[in-house]
Amino acid sequence: RLKKQVEESEKRLVSRRQNSNKSYWNLGLQKSYAEWKKSGTGLNEHSSQAGQFSLSFKGKEIIHNIMPAGVYTHLLSTKQNGTLSSPRFKFEKGNLWIRVIGDKGTTVRYSVWNYPRRGTVYPKSSPEPTVEKWLRFKTDYWEGETGYLEVTTNRDHPVEAGNAERSWFGVTEAFYASHNESAPKDEVSEILSPLFTASLPPKNSQDIGNIYAEVSKDAIIAWKNDTLTDAQARILNSLIKQGILPNSQKKVPSCKNFVLKYRKIESLVKAPRLVPGLLDGEPFEQTLFERGNHKKPAHEVPRRFLEVIDPTPYPNDSTGRLEFAEDLLRKDNPFTSRVMVNRIWHHLFGHGIVRTPDNFGRLGEKPSHPELLDFLATKFREDGWSIKTTIKFLVTSKAFRASSKPSAKAQQIDPNNLLLSHANLRRLEAEAIYDSMLLISGRIKLDRVAEGNSEPPNSRRRSVYRQMKRNSLDPFLSVFDAPVPSSTKGRRDVTNVPAQSLTLMNDPLVIRAAREFANLHRNGDLKDRISVMFRNSLGRNPTQNEIKKSMDYLTVLDKESAKEKNILLELQEKKLKLSQEISEIIDPVREKLIKDKKSFKDSMKKYSPGPVLQWNFESGLKDQILGLKANLKNGAAVENGRLILRKGGYAVTNTLPIEISEKTLSSWVQLDNLNQRSGGVITIQNLNGGVFDSIVFAEKEPRKWMSGSNGFSRTMSFPFAPPENLAHNQLVHIAITYSTDGKITGYRNGKMYGKPYSTNLYKYQKNKSVLTFGVRHLPANSQRMLHGSINQASVYDRALTQSEINAIFHPNSYVSLKEVEKSLSTEEMKLYANLTAQKKSLEERLRDLDATVVGDKTKLQDLALALFNMKEFIYLK
C-alpha cells in the first residue's frame, strides 16, 4: 500500500514539473535560478545542491537544517541578507504557488506595477522556520497584468523593512496552477522513494527495519561524498529533527570545539548596512496605453530619450537608467538646466520665468524673459551645475533687491508684473510661518544643521525636516497650503481662505506662541517693549502712529479684561455658593448611605463592574480572571507589587482567548517624569501591531493623556483636557472607554478627562490579539516606550459609565449620585433640582468666559497675537 502511494506521489511530482502550460521554476536547478534576480550577501550566483546545511548559532543543537537543492541565504550566517525576484510573467486566473522556508520576518509576495506595499489585493505572507511550506496567492484579480514574485529577508523589504538583524529564507520551487488543479503538497515520494529502490521486497518487519537502516546509512555516506539527493537530504533532516541521529554537543562531544569556534566567528559577522535603492531587473519595453487605459495596451515604445533630441533606443541588455541619467545632462539637451534655473527663480522671486514650472510644453506658459532663461541655463552649466552659485548670483542682483511697490506706469502696463519691474508681494510658505512664530516666541531655538532623519512634531528643527504622514497631516501647515506628500508639486497653491485667519486667531499653538512671545518682554518701558516686539516679528521699527495705536489698544484691553475678570469672579462666587447649598442637601444623605452597610454592599455590587482581564502585579504576572500571562521583555521587572518599565522594558501577554470590541482600558500608573513622550500604558492590538487602541501619555501634546491608535485613525486629544501634574509623584488612575457608537471618553482619578469625541470602533478577534504594557504598540520602538510603573491594569468588555469608573477609583467609600438622588425627599429633590439647574447655567456662562479670559495672560499677549495676524508677518515685501 505504501509503495502504491509513493508511485502515485511520484506521478504527481513529474506532472507538476513537466506541465508546459504554466510557469514553473525549480530553484535547485541552476538554469531556473539563473533567471531570477538576486541581491544580498546571503545569495550566491549558483543554487545550492542537496545536502547544504546551516548551523545553529545558539543553544545545544549543532545543525539547524539539512536542505534539498534550492537557494538559501543562511548557509554561513542568519545575519546575511537577500532579495530574490522571479522573472516577470503574465498573471492568469488561478493560483501562484511558492515553496519556502524561513523565519517569520521574511516577506513573500508578488508585485504588480512594482507596488511595494501590502494591501487587500497586494497580499504578503511569511514562511515557517522549521519546515518547507507551500504558500498560495490567488491571482484572478490581476489576470492579464505582468509582475513577479519576490522573497526578502526582514530588513530588505521595500518600504516596510523591519529592524531584525537576523533573518533568512530558502526557496525550492514556484509555479502557476489553474483552479481545477489540486494544490501542491509535501509529497510522500520526496522522502520515501529510496525505500523502494531495493531489489527484493520486504517480507517481514525485520526486513523493513533493515531497509530503513540501509537507506539511512546510504544517505549519510552520500552526504559525506557530496552526492546527496533531495530525498536523502529530507531523510537526514527528518532524522536529526526527530532525535534519531545525534545533533547536540553533548551527544557529539567531538564537535563541541568546532561549534564554539564557528559561533565565535559568526558573532563577529556584521549585518549589512542597508540604504533604499533599486535593483535592475530584466529590461523590457513598455506598451503605450490608449488614452491612459492600462487595460488597452497598444504598441510597445522603445526605451529612449526624447525623440526631438535623440531617438536612438537604449541597448537591449540595459535597463536604460544610466543612459537616461547621462542624456539628462548631455550638452544638446537644453531642458534640464532651463527647468532647474526656472525652479530656483520661482522659489526666490515667487514666480518662475516660465510660470508653469511643471510644464514647459504646449499647455504651459511661455517664458516672460526667454533670453534671460537661456542665459541663466548656460551659466548654470558653466558653474558646474552649482545651485549655491546660482542662488548667490540671483539674490545679489538688482532684480531681487527691487522694491515690491509698483510705479503707476507699471500698474497700468503690466498689472501682473510679468516683466518684473518690481518685486512680487508674496506670502511665506507654511513652514516659514510656523518656524517664525516659534522662533520669535523663544519656544524653541531652531537647529539649523542641514542633515539627519525626519523629526517628530515637537522637534527643535525647522519644519522642512518634520516627518510627514499622508494620513496624519499637520493641520497648521495644511491650512497654509503645505502640499499633500502623495505627488510632486512644482508650484504650491496660495489660497486666501477664512480658515487661515481663524487659525492665526484661535489655534492653541498660536495662542501659546503669543503668550511666550509676550513673556519675553515683561519688563521695561512699554514703548520700548512694543518697539522690540515689532522689530522681532516684522523686521522693522514701528511708526509713532503704530506705537500710539498699540498703547491705546492695550489700554482698552486692560479695561475690558478687568470688567470680564470681575464678572468671572462674581460668577465663580455664585457657583461656589450654589455648590455649598447643594452639598448641604446631599452630603447628609450620602453619609447616611455609607454608614448603612447593606446599602453600601448593594451599591458596590450594582456599580462595581467585573473586568474580563485584570492584573494586580502584587500577585504576579497572570491576570486574576482567565490566568492570561504577561511576558516580560527587554529588562522589564516586577518589584514591590509594581510592573517596572524602564530603559525600553515592556510586557506582552499571550494571545487573548476572547473577542473584544466595545471596551474599557483601565490602569493605575506612576511616571518617572512628565517630559517623556508617546509611551503606552496599556494597549490592545492585533498580532502585528497594525491595528491598536492604547492609553498613551503625551503623544500629540506634552503632559496630556490620550487614546492612541494606528495612524491616528481613532486618535484625538481630549478637548479641554488639563496637562498632567501629579503622575510623577504618585499613582494616578487612567481609564478610557470605547462605546459601540464610536464614542471615546477619558477619565482621570474617577473624573471625566476633557470631553469625549466620536470615531469608529475596531473589533479584536479571538486568539488574534494581545495586550501590551509600557509600549504604544508592537513591534517595540525606542520612541514609543513608557518610563514608569504600573500597579494594576484591567480590561472590560463594555464601555463603563462615569459612576462605574468612580467605583473603581473609590472602591471602599463610593455611593453614586444617582443613589443619593433616589433617597432625597420630595421637597429636598425639588430644591436640589432648582439649585442644580442654576449651577449648570452658571457653568455654561463660565465656560464661555474662560475661553476669552485667560488667567495667566500677560499684558502684551494680545499685542503679540495681533502682530501674528498682521499681513506683514506672513507676507514677504
Side-chain angles (χ1 to χ4, degrees), residues 36 83-86 89 91 96 98 106-118 122-126 135 137 148-152 156-160:
W36 288 53
T83 296
L84 184 66
S85 303
S86 76
F89 55 86
F91 283 70
L96 184 58
I98 181 169
T106 291
T107 295
V108 185
R109 68 181 186 115
Y110 63 76
S111 176
V112 183
W113 303 335
N114 302 301
Y115 188 73
R117 301 300 294 269
R118 67 171 182 264
Y122 298 96
K124 71 175 186 179
S125 298
S126 295
L135 298 179
F137 298 105
Y148 56 90
L149 268 169
E150 182 179 77
V151 189
T152 59
D156 294 76
H157 186 252
V159 181
E160 296 175 340

mmCIF file of all heavy atoms in Angstrom, residues 36 83-86 89 91 96 98 106-118 122-126 135 137 148-152 156-160:
data_model
loop_
_atom_site.group_PDB
_atom_site.id
_atom_site.type_symbol
_atom_site.label_atom_id
_atom_site.label_comp_id
_atom_site.label_asym_id
_atom_site.label_seq_id
_atom_site.Cartn_x
_atom_site.Cartn_y
_atom_site.Cartn_z
ATOM 1 N N TRP A 36 16.342 34.211 -12.158
ATOM 2 C CA TRP A 36 15.858 35.065 -11.072
ATOM 3 C C TRP A 36 16.905 36.132 -10.746
ATOM 4 O O TRP A 36 18.109 35.901 -10.857
ATOM 5 C CB TRP A 36 15.570 34.223 -9.823
ATOM 6 C CG TRP A 36 14.345 33.350 -9.959
ATOM 7 C CD1 TRP A 36 14.081 32.464 -10.959
ATOM 8 C CD2 TRP A 36 13.249 33.288 -9.059
ATOM 9 N NE1 TRP A 36 12.875 31.846 -10.739
ATOM 10 C CE2 TRP A 36 12.340 32.342 -9.579
ATOM 11 C CE3 TRP A 36 12.937 33.930 -7.871
ATOM 12 C CZ2 TRP A 36 11.142 32.027 -8.942
ATOM 13 C CZ3 TRP A 36 11.741 33.620 -7.227
ATOM 14 C CH2 TRP A 36 10.850 32.676 -7.771
ATOM 15 N N THR A 83 17.550 39.399 -1.318
ATOM 16 C CA THR A 83 16.319 39.725 -2.036
ATOM 17 C C THR A 83 16.321 38.888 -3.310
ATOM 18 O O THR A 83 17.277 38.963 -4.093
ATOM 19 C CB THR A 83 16.252 41.221 -2.399
ATOM 20 O OG1 THR A 83 16.207 41.986 -1.206
ATOM 21 C CG2 THR A 83 15.016 41.528 -3.234
ATOM 22 N N LEU A 84 15.267 38.108 -3.522
ATOM 23 C CA LEU A 84 15.188 37.196 -4.659
ATOM 24 C C LEU A 84 13.909 37.483 -5.432
ATOM 25 O O LEU A 84 12.814 37.461 -4.856
ATOM 26 C CB LEU A 84 15.204 35.742 -4.166
ATOM 27 C CG LEU A 84 15.225 34.650 -5.234
ATOM 28 C CD1 LEU A 84 16.539 34.700 -6.017
ATOM 29 C CD2 LEU A 84 15.066 33.276 -4.581
ATOM 30 N N SER A 85 14.042 37.768 -6.730
ATOM 31 C CA SER A 85 12.883 38.121 -7.556
ATOM 32 C C SER A 85 12.828 37.235 -8.782
ATOM 33 O O SER A 85 13.848 36.997 -9.447
ATOM 34 C CB SER A 85 12.952 39.580 -7.999
ATOM 35 O OG SER A 85 13.045 40.439 -6.882
ATOM 36 N N SER A 86 11.635 36.774 -9.098
ATOM 37 C CA SER A 86 11.438 35.911 -10.266
ATOM 38 C C SER A 86 11.459 36.741 -11.539
ATOM 39 O O SER A 86 11.340 37.974 -11.495
ATOM 40 C CB SER A 86 10.104 35.186 -10.150
ATOM 41 O OG SER A 86 9.029 36.071 -10.444
ATOM 42 N N PHE A 89 6.266 37.799 -15.402
ATOM 43 C CA PHE A 89 5.360 36.879 -16.105
ATOM 44 C C PHE A 89 3.973 37.473 -16.119
ATOM 45 O O PHE A 89 3.653 38.397 -15.359
ATOM 46 C CB PHE A 89 5.353 35.502 -15.426
ATOM 47 C CG PHE A 89 5.010 35.541 -13.963
ATOM 48 C CD1 PHE A 89 3.688 35.507 -13.532
ATOM 49 C CD2 PHE A 89 6.010 35.624 -13.003
ATOM 50 C CE1 PHE A 89 3.371 35.559 -12.186
ATOM 51 C CE2 PHE A 89 5.701 35.676 -11.653
ATOM 52 C CZ PHE A 89 4.382 35.642 -11.240
ATOM 53 N N PHE A 91 0.085 37.406 -15.385
ATOM 54 C CA PHE A 91 -0.811 36.796 -14.417
ATOM 55 C C PHE A 91 -2.017 36.169 -15.124
ATOM 56 O O PHE A 91 -2.551 36.735 -16.090
ATOM 57 C CB PHE A 91 -1.290 37.832 -13.395
ATOM 58 C CG PHE A 91 -0.264 38.167 -12.360
ATOM 59 C CD1 PHE A 91 0.875 38.892 -12.678
ATOM 60 C CD2 PHE A 91 -0.417 37.737 -11.055
ATOM 61 C CE1 PHE A 91 1.823 39.188 -11.726
ATOM 62 C CE2 PHE A 91 0.527 38.042 -10.081
ATOM 63 C CZ PHE A 91 1.649 38.766 -10.417
ATOM 64 N N LEU A 96 -0.918 31.106 -7.679
ATOM 65 C CA LEU A 96 0.528 31.180 -7.754
ATOM 66 C C LEU A 96 1.081 30.519 -6.496
ATOM 67 O O LEU A 96 0.739 30.913 -5.376
ATOM 68 C CB LEU A 96 0.953 32.643 -7.830
ATOM 69 C CG LEU A 96 2.432 32.964 -8.021
ATOM 70 C CD1 LEU A 96 2.973 32.329 -9.287
ATOM 71 C CD2 LEU A 96 2.627 34.478 -8.075
ATOM 72 N N ILE A 98 4.419 29.001 -4.215
ATOM 73 C CA ILE A 98 5.864 29.071 -3.981
ATOM 74 C C ILE A 98 6.180 28.279 -2.716
ATOM 75 O O ILE A 98 5.451 28.363 -1.717
ATOM 76 C CB ILE A 98 6.358 30.530 -3.873
ATOM 77 C CG1 ILE A 98 7.875 30.554 -3.661
ATOM 78 C CG2 ILE A 98 5.637 31.295 -2.779
ATOM 79 C CD1 ILE A 98 8.487 31.939 -3.815
ATOM 80 N N THR A 106 10.700 37.128 7.338
ATOM 81 C CA THR A 106 10.831 37.077 5.882
ATOM 82 C C THR A 106 9.504 37.427 5.223
ATOM 83 O O THR A 106 8.434 37.046 5.700
ATOM 84 C CB THR A 106 11.295 35.676 5.450
ATOM 85 O OG1 THR A 106 12.643 35.492 5.884
ATOM 86 C CG2 THR A 106 11.229 35.504 3.949
ATOM 87 N N THR A 107 9.579 38.126 4.113
ATOM 88 C CA THR A 107 8.381 38.510 3.375
ATOM 89 C C THR A 107 8.353 37.800 2.030
ATOM 90 O O THR A 107 9.341 37.812 1.292
ATOM 91 C CB THR A 107 8.348 40.034 3.136
ATOM 92 O OG1 THR A 107 8.232 40.690 4.394
ATOM 93 C CG2 THR A 107 7.175 40.432 2.257
ATOM 94 N N VAL A 108 7.208 37.175 1.739
ATOM 95 C CA VAL A 108 6.974 36.543 0.443
ATOM 96 C C VAL A 108 5.764 37.235 -0.169
ATOM 97 O O VAL A 108 4.716 37.330 0.468
ATOM 98 C CB VAL A 108 6.703 35.030 0.578
ATOM 99 C CG1 VAL A 108 6.584 34.395 -0.796
ATOM 100 C CG2 VAL A 108 7.799 34.354 1.392
ATOM 101 N N ARG A 109 5.886 37.735 -1.380
ATOM 102 C CA ARG A 109 4.777 38.452 -2.005
ATOM 103 C C ARG A 109 4.933 38.432 -3.515
ATOM 104 O O ARG A 109 5.977 38.025 -4.042
ATOM 105 C CB ARG A 109 4.756 39.916 -1.534
ATOM 106 C CG ARG A 109 5.941 40.709 -2.060
ATOM 107 C CD ARG A 109 5.945 42.135 -1.600
ATOM 108 N NE ARG A 109 7.003 42.879 -2.241
ATOM 109 C CZ ARG A 109 6.832 43.894 -3.085
ATOM 110 N NH1 ARG A 109 5.621 44.278 -3.398
ATOM 111 N NH2 ARG A 109 7.852 44.509 -3.628
ATOM 112 N N TYR A 110 3.898 38.861 -4.211
ATOM 113 C CA TYR A 110 4.037 39.145 -5.634
ATOM 114 C C TYR A 110 3.892 40.646 -5.818
ATOM 115 O O TYR A 110 3.302 41.334 -4.996
ATOM 116 C CB TYR A 110 3.020 38.379 -6.477
ATOM 117 C CG TYR A 110 1.575 38.708 -6.213
ATOM 118 C CD1 TYR A 110 1.004 39.891 -6.697
ATOM 119 C CD2 TYR A 110 0.764 37.838 -5.512
ATOM 120 C CE1 TYR A 110 -0.326 40.193 -6.456
ATOM 121 C CE2 TYR A 110 -0.572 38.125 -5.271
ATOM 122 C CZ TYR A 110 -1.109 39.304 -5.754
ATOM 123 O OH TYR A 110 -2.424 39.612 -5.521
ATOM 124 N N SER A 111 4.441 41.144 -6.906
ATOM 125 C CA SER A 111 4.381 42.576 -7.170
ATOM 126 C C SER A 111 3.797 42.815 -8.554
ATOM 127 O O SER A 111 4.246 42.232 -9.535
ATOM 128 C CB SER A 111 5.782 43.201 -7.086
ATOM 129 O OG SER A 111 5.750 44.567 -7.434
ATOM 130 N N VAL A 112 2.773 43.663 -8.625
ATOM 131 C CA VAL A 112 2.200 44.121 -9.881
ATOM 132 C C VAL A 112 2.419 45.619 -9.945
ATOM 133 O O VAL A 112 2.201 46.329 -8.946
ATOM 134 C CB VAL A 112 0.696 43.788 -9.952
ATOM 135 C CG1 VAL A 112 0.113 44.211 -11.302
ATOM 136 C CG2 VAL A 112 0.472 42.308 -9.734
ATOM 137 N N TRP A 113 2.848 46.119 -11.106
ATOM 138 C CA TRP A 113 3.122 47.552 -11.258
ATOM 139 C C TRP A 113 4.197 48.017 -10.272
ATOM 140 O O TRP A 113 4.245 49.172 -9.885
ATOM 141 C CB TRP A 113 1.858 48.388 -11.075
ATOM 142 C CG TRP A 113 0.743 48.046 -12.001
ATOM 143 C CD1 TRP A 113 0.843 47.467 -13.235
ATOM 144 C CD2 TRP A 113 -0.654 48.235 -11.769
ATOM 145 N NE1 TRP A 113 -0.406 47.294 -13.788
ATOM 146 C CE2 TRP A 113 -1.342 47.764 -12.911
ATOM 147 C CE3 TRP A 113 -1.399 48.772 -10.746
ATOM 148 C CZ2 TRP A 113 -2.726 47.795 -13.025
ATOM 149 C CZ3 TRP A 113 -2.759 48.814 -10.849
ATOM 150 C CH2 TRP A 113 -3.420 48.336 -11.978
ATOM 151 N N ASN A 114 5.056 47.092 -9.830
ATOM 152 C CA ASN A 114 6.172 47.417 -8.926
ATOM 153 C C ASN A 114 5.716 48.062 -7.633
ATOM 154 O O ASN A 114 6.420 48.877 -7.036
ATOM 155 C CB ASN A 114 7.167 48.347 -9.637
ATOM 156 C CG ASN A 114 7.704 47.746 -10.909
ATOM 157 O OD1 ASN A 114 8.303 46.683 -10.888
ATOM 158 N ND2 ASN A 114 7.449 48.392 -12.037
ATOM 159 N N TYR A 115 4.510 47.701 -7.160
ATOM 160 C CA TYR A 115 3.979 48.300 -5.936
ATOM 161 C C TYR A 115 4.547 47.580 -4.728
ATOM 162 O O TYR A 115 4.428 46.362 -4.621
ATOM 163 C CB TYR A 115 2.451 48.210 -5.935
ATOM 164 C CG TYR A 115 1.795 48.972 -4.806
ATOM 165 C CD1 TYR A 115 1.743 50.356 -4.828
ATOM 166 C CD2 TYR A 115 1.239 48.314 -3.717
ATOM 167 C CE1 TYR A 115 1.148 51.071 -3.803
ATOM 168 C CE2 TYR A 115 0.633 49.015 -2.686
ATOM 169 C CZ TYR A 115 0.588 50.392 -2.743
ATOM 170 O OH TYR A 115 -0.007 51.090 -1.726
ATOM 171 N N PRO A 116 5.176 48.310 -3.771
ATOM 172 C CA PRO A 116 5.895 47.629 -2.684
ATOM 173 C C PRO A 116 5.097 47.381 -1.416
ATOM 174 O O PRO A 116 5.611 46.779 -0.492
ATOM 175 C CB PRO A 116 7.032 48.617 -2.388
ATOM 176 C CG PRO A 116 6.417 49.957 -2.657
ATOM 177 C CD PRO A 116 5.438 49.752 -3.786
ATOM 178 N N ARG A 117 3.852 47.890 -1.315
ATOM 179 C CA ARG A 117 3.133 47.803 -0.053
ATOM 180 C C ARG A 117 2.172 46.627 -0.044
ATOM 181 O O ARG A 117 1.723 46.141 -1.070
ATOM 182 C CB ARG A 117 2.339 49.089 0.203
ATOM 183 C CG ARG A 117 3.180 50.346 0.252
ATOM 184 C CD ARG A 117 4.223 50.312 1.348
ATOM 185 N NE ARG A 117 3.642 50.301 2.665
ATOM 186 C CZ ARG A 117 3.380 51.379 3.376
ATOM 187 N NH1 ARG A 117 3.659 52.572 2.880
ATOM 188 N NH2 ARG A 117 2.866 51.297 4.585
ATOM 189 N N ARG A 118 1.816 46.211 1.185
ATOM 190 C CA ARG A 118 0.804 45.168 1.315
ATOM 191 C C ARG A 118 -0.583 45.809 1.277
ATOM 192 O O ARG A 118 -0.739 47.000 1.487
ATOM 193 C CB ARG A 118 0.983 44.407 2.626
ATOM 194 C CG ARG A 118 0.701 45.221 3.884
ATOM 195 C CD ARG A 118 0.706 44.315 5.092
ATOM 196 N NE ARG A 118 0.396 45.040 6.313
ATOM 197 C CZ ARG A 118 1.307 45.523 7.143
ATOM 198 N NH1 ARG A 118 2.577 45.342 6.869
ATOM 199 N NH2 ARG A 118 0.969 46.174 8.232
ATOM 200 N N TYR A 122 -2.818 43.231 -2.615
ATOM 201 C CA TYR A 122 -1.364 43.082 -2.608
ATOM 202 C C TYR A 122 -0.960 42.296 -1.358
ATOM 203 O O TYR A 122 -0.325 42.830 -0.459
ATOM 204 C CB TYR A 122 -0.670 44.445 -2.595
ATOM 205 C CG TYR A 122 -0.934 45.304 -3.790
ATOM 206 C CD1 TYR A 122 -1.934 46.274 -3.764
ATOM 207 C CD2 TYR A 122 -0.181 45.168 -4.953
ATOM 208 C CE1 TYR A 122 -2.172 47.079 -4.865
ATOM 209 C CE2 TYR A 122 -0.411 45.971 -6.056
ATOM 210 C CZ TYR A 122 -1.409 46.928 -6.007
ATOM 211 O OH TYR A 122 -1.640 47.726 -7.097
ATOM 212 N N PRO A 123 -1.363 41.029 -1.252
ATOM 213 C CA PRO A 123 -1.088 40.288 -0.014
ATOM 214 C C PRO A 123 0.386 39.927 0.119
ATOM 215 O O PRO A 123 1.122 39.867 -0.862
ATOM 216 C CB PRO A 123 -1.939 39.022 -0.181
ATOM 217 C CG PRO A 123 -2.016 38.822 -1.657
ATOM 218 C CD PRO A 123 -2.050 40.202 -2.262
ATOM 219 N N LYS A 124 0.799 39.697 1.348
ATOM 220 C CA LYS A 124 2.130 39.165 1.584
ATOM 221 C C LYS A 124 2.034 38.089 2.654
ATOM 222 O O LYS A 124 1.110 38.094 3.466
ATOM 223 C CB LYS A 124 3.106 40.267 1.988
ATOM 224 C CG LYS A 124 2.909 40.841 3.373
ATOM 225 C CD LYS A 124 4.017 41.826 3.692
ATOM 226 C CE LYS A 124 3.921 42.296 5.146
ATOM 227 N NZ LYS A 124 4.995 43.242 5.502
ATOM 228 N N SER A 125 2.977 37.153 2.652
ATOM 229 C CA SER A 125 2.952 36.037 3.593
ATOM 230 C C SER A 125 4.337 35.845 4.201
ATOM 231 O O SER A 125 5.313 36.437 3.741
ATOM 232 C CB SER A 125 2.509 34.750 2.881
ATOM 233 O OG SER A 125 1.197 34.880 2.379
ATOM 234 N N SER A 126 4.369 34.984 5.210
ATOM 235 C CA SER A 126 5.635 34.640 5.852
ATOM 236 C C SER A 126 5.764 33.122 5.903
ATOM 237 O O SER A 126 4.773 32.416 6.096
ATOM 238 C CB SER A 126 5.703 35.213 7.271
ATOM 239 O OG SER A 126 5.719 36.616 7.241
ATOM 240 N N LEU A 135 3.110 28.274 -0.079
ATOM 241 C CA LEU A 135 2.292 29.475 0.070
ATOM 242 C C LEU A 135 1.531 29.728 -1.229
ATOM 243 O O LEU A 135 2.089 29.589 -2.321
ATOM 244 C CB LEU A 135 3.173 30.694 0.388
ATOM 245 C CG LEU A 135 3.968 30.634 1.685
ATOM 246 C CD1 LEU A 135 4.810 31.892 1.849
ATOM 247 C CD2 LEU A 135 3.053 30.459 2.893
ATOM 248 N N PHE A 137 -1.000 32.294 -3.596
ATOM 249 C CA PHE A 137 -1.548 33.621 -3.903
ATOM 250 C C PHE A 137 -2.567 33.461 -5.017
ATOM 251 O O PHE A 137 -2.236 33.030 -6.118
ATOM 252 C CB PHE A 137 -0.434 34.587 -4.347
ATOM 253 C CG PHE A 137 0.608 34.842 -3.310
ATOM 254 C CD1 PHE A 137 1.868 34.270 -3.414
ATOM 255 C CD2 PHE A 137 0.338 35.658 -2.225
ATOM 256 C CE1 PHE A 137 2.844 34.512 -2.464
ATOM 257 C CE2 PHE A 137 1.307 35.909 -1.262
ATOM 258 C CZ PHE A 137 2.556 35.331 -1.375
ATOM 259 N N TYR A 148 5.912 39.963 -10.827
ATOM 260 C CA TYR A 148 6.938 38.999 -10.453
ATOM 261 C C TYR A 148 6.763 38.593 -9.000
ATOM 262 O O TYR A 148 6.091 39.268 -8.222
ATOM 263 C CB TYR A 148 8.342 39.580 -10.666
ATOM 264 C CG TYR A 148 8.592 40.877 -9.937
ATOM 265 C CD1 TYR A 148 9.100 40.887 -8.634
ATOM 266 C CD2 TYR A 148 8.311 42.093 -10.544
ATOM 267 C CE1 TYR A 148 9.319 42.081 -7.957
ATOM 268 C CE2 TYR A 148 8.537 43.294 -9.878
ATOM 269 C CZ TYR A 148 9.035 43.274 -8.596
ATOM 270 O OH TYR A 148 9.250 44.449 -7.923
ATOM 271 N N LEU A 149 7.359 37.473 -8.635
ATOM 272 C CA LEU A 149 7.417 37.011 -7.250
ATOM 273 C C LEU A 149 8.658 37.601 -6.587
ATOM 274 O O LEU A 149 9.676 37.813 -7.242
ATOM 275 C CB LEU A 149 7.514 35.486 -7.207
ATOM 276 C CG LEU A 149 6.225 34.678 -7.122
ATOM 277 C CD1 LEU A 149 6.528 33.217 -7.365
ATOM 278 C CD2 LEU A 149 5.568 34.861 -5.757
ATOM 279 N N GLU A 150 8.555 37.833 -5.260
ATOM 280 C CA GLU A 150 9.695 38.390 -4.545
ATOM 281 C C GLU A 150 9.749 37.812 -3.137
ATOM 282 O O GLU A 150 8.727 37.714 -2.465
ATOM 283 C CB GLU A 150 9.588 39.919 -4.481
ATOM 284 C CG GLU A 150 10.770 40.578 -3.788
ATOM 285 C CD GLU A 150 10.628 42.088 -3.761
ATOM 286 O OE1 GLU A 150 9.845 42.583 -2.925
ATOM 287 O OE2 GLU A 150 11.268 42.752 -4.593
ATOM 288 N N VAL A 151 10.952 37.440 -2.705
ATOM 289 C CA VAL A 151 11.196 36.972 -1.341
ATOM 290 C C VAL A 151 12.328 37.829 -0.774
ATOM 291 O O VAL A 151 13.367 37.999 -1.418
ATOM 292 C CB VAL A 151 11.589 35.486 -1.299
ATOM 293 C CG1 VAL A 151 11.618 34.973 0.137
ATOM 294 C CG2 VAL A 151 10.637 34.638 -2.135
ATOM 295 N N THR A 152 12.115 38.382 0.441
ATOM 296 C CA THR A 152 13.129 39.258 1.039
ATOM 297 C C THR A 152 13.326 38.913 2.499
ATOM 298 O O THR A 152 12.380 38.533 3.190
ATOM 299 C CB THR A 152 12.724 40.742 0.946
ATOM 300 O OG1 THR A 152 11.478 40.918 1.632
ATOM 301 C CG2 THR A 152 12.567 41.196 -0.489
ATOM 302 N N ASP A 156 15.211 43.873 4.250
ATOM 303 C CA ASP A 156 15.328 44.196 2.829
ATOM 304 C C ASP A 156 13.991 44.493 2.167
ATOM 305 O O ASP A 156 13.966 44.881 1.006
ATOM 306 C CB ASP A 156 15.983 43.026 2.079
ATOM 307 C CG ASP A 156 17.418 42.816 2.499
ATOM 308 O OD1 ASP A 156 17.645 42.279 3.595
ATOM 309 O OD2 ASP A 156 18.318 43.202 1.735
ATOM 310 N N HIS A 157 12.900 44.309 2.900
ATOM 311 C CA HIS A 157 11.606 44.517 2.263
ATOM 312 C C HIS A 157 11.406 45.986 1.937
ATOM 313 O O HIS A 157 11.553 46.841 2.807
ATOM 314 C CB HIS A 157 10.480 44.035 3.186
ATOM 315 C CG HIS A 157 9.149 44.080 2.528
ATOM 316 N ND1 HIS A 157 8.188 45.002 2.846
ATOM 317 C CD2 HIS A 157 8.624 43.326 1.532
ATOM 318 C CE1 HIS A 157 7.128 44.806 2.096
ATOM 319 N NE2 HIS A 157 7.365 43.802 1.294
ATOM 320 N N PRO A 158 11.086 46.347 0.695
ATOM 321 C CA PRO A 158 10.946 47.760 0.341
ATOM 322 C C PRO A 158 9.837 48.424 1.143
ATOM 323 O O PRO A 158 8.774 47.851 1.349
ATOM 324 C CB PRO A 158 10.614 47.721 -1.156
ATOM 325 C CG PRO A 158 10.102 46.346 -1.402
ATOM 326 C CD PRO A 158 10.796 45.456 -0.434
ATOM 327 N N VAL A 159 10.094 49.619 1.616
ATOM 328 C CA VAL A 159 9.162 50.473 2.360
ATOM 329 C C VAL A 159 8.887 49.939 3.757
ATOM 330 O O VAL A 159 8.991 50.653 4.746
ATOM 331 C CB VAL A 159 7.826 50.659 1.604
ATOM 332 C CG1 VAL A 159 6.905 51.580 2.394
ATOM 333 C CG2 VAL A 159 8.077 51.232 0.218
ATOM 334 N N GLU A 160 8.536 48.653 3.881
ATOM 335 C CA GLU A 160 8.111 48.115 5.173
ATOM 336 C C GLU A 160 9.214 47.297 5.838
ATOM 337 O O GLU A 160 8.952 46.314 6.515
ATOM 338 C CB GLU A 160 6.861 47.252 4.986
ATOM 339 C CG GLU A 160 5.675 48.078 4.489
ATOM 340 C CD GLU A 160 4.462 47.228 4.192
ATOM 341 O OE1 GLU A 160 4.623 46.009 3.995
ATOM 342 O OE2 GLU A 160 3.363 47.773 4.159
#
